[in-house]
């Protein structure tokens, strides 16, 4: 189940496919994350093409709307045959349950469904002053994770440093998908709470999401192999 997911944050189908061409000969087909930029730019066709090439897909669209709308939107997405998708936990337990219903196909199968707790870009100060959430950020993350579990979701997206907290609140089988990964000898870019693939494994991440350390590397395939080695094999 554990895997390295490459965040394909490219603006067009052409750039994405040219990037994935580099992995053509690889024994292990990378699990690919398609986010809002690529999906809104290139639509369902890029999802289908990446699937056709044999990659697993995390469709990272972070749905958040009234339960009925999310149920119907998830029903549409379930036909795309992705392997993982997500919603905002702040949409309520009822909304997450509706998402799960919409995503479940007639034969009972469905992609993994995970929730965003608090975005890592939201500081505790912004959460308290702007969102009027009068709790600490860690308590809020643990609480939202418990809500996601109660709704029947499979796990949450969180910082690797929050994985232990989530596992403690929801049990070790509750999946954590963690961005904010950097090699020990690399630049942090704009990420603040970062850790290495090896450390993410130790803390208990189930999936790491890695963007620029692979997509902007001079040799992306070598960078991907290094992630796999550190996260899955060492
Ligand atoms: O390039 P980098 O490794 O920083 O990319 C991380 C990916 O994970 C990006 O697609 C980013 O949008 C996503 N992400 C994140 N932090 C979150 C949720 C998603 O960095 N809390």
């Amino acid at each position: 189940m554990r895997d390295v997911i490459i965040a394909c944050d490219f603006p067009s189908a052409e750039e994405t496919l040219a990037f994935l061409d580099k992995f053509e000969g690889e024994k292990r087909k990378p699990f690919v994350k398609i986010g809002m930029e690529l999906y809104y730019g290139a639509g369902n066709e890029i999802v289908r093409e990446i699937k056709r090439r044999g990659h697993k897909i995390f469709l990272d669209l972070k749905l958040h709307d009234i339960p009925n709308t999310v149920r119907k939107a998830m029903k549409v997405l379930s036909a795309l045959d992705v392997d993982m998708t997500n919603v905002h936990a702040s949409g309520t337990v009822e909304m997450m349950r509706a998402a799960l219903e919409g995503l479940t196909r007639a034969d009972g199968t469905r992609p993994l469904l995970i929730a965003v707790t608090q975005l890592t870009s939201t500081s505790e100060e912004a959460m308290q002053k702007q969102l009027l959430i009068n709790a600490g950020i860690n308590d809020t993350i643990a609480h939202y994770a418990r809500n996601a579990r109660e709704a029947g979701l499979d796990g949450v997206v969180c910082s690797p440093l929050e994985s232990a907290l989530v596992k403690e609140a929801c049990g070790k089988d509750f999946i954590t998908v963690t961005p904010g990964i950097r090699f020990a000898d690399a630049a942090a870019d704009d990420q603040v709470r970062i850790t290495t693939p090896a450390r993410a494994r130790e803390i208990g991440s189930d999936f790491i999401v890695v963007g620029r350390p692979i997509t902007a590397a001079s040799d992306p395939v070598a960078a991907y192999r290094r992630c796999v080695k550190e996260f899955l094999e060492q």
Side-chain angles (χ1 to χ4, degrees), residues 131-170:
L131 309 182
L132 282 186
I133 296 173
N134 285 317
I137 192 128
N138 283 348
D139 286 346
T140 309
I141 289 165
H143 185 64
Y144 282 26
R146 279 192 294 267
N147 285 349
R149 191 193 51 181
E150 189 189 324
L153 270 61
D154 303 294
V156 291
V157 189
C158 61
S159 126
L161 306 171
E162 289 151 5
S163 264
L165 176 90
V166 168
K167 297 275 181 185
E168 202 176 301
C170 298

Side-chain angles (χ1 to χ4, degrees), residues 7 9 33 62 119-120 157 179-182 191 209-213:
D9 295 323
K33 179 170 92 78
K62 301 186 178 70
L119 291 168
T120 46
V157 189
I181 302 294
R182 291 295 178 269
Q191 294 281 18
V209 177
V210 189
R212 287 161 292 180

Side-chain angles (χ1 to χ4, degrees), residues 22-34:
K22 300 183 203 293
F23 294 85
E24 201 105 286
E26 282 299 282
K27 243 193 359 240
R28 188 185 190 90
K29 285 262 175 203
F31 202 127
V32 165
K33 179 170 92 78
I34 299 177

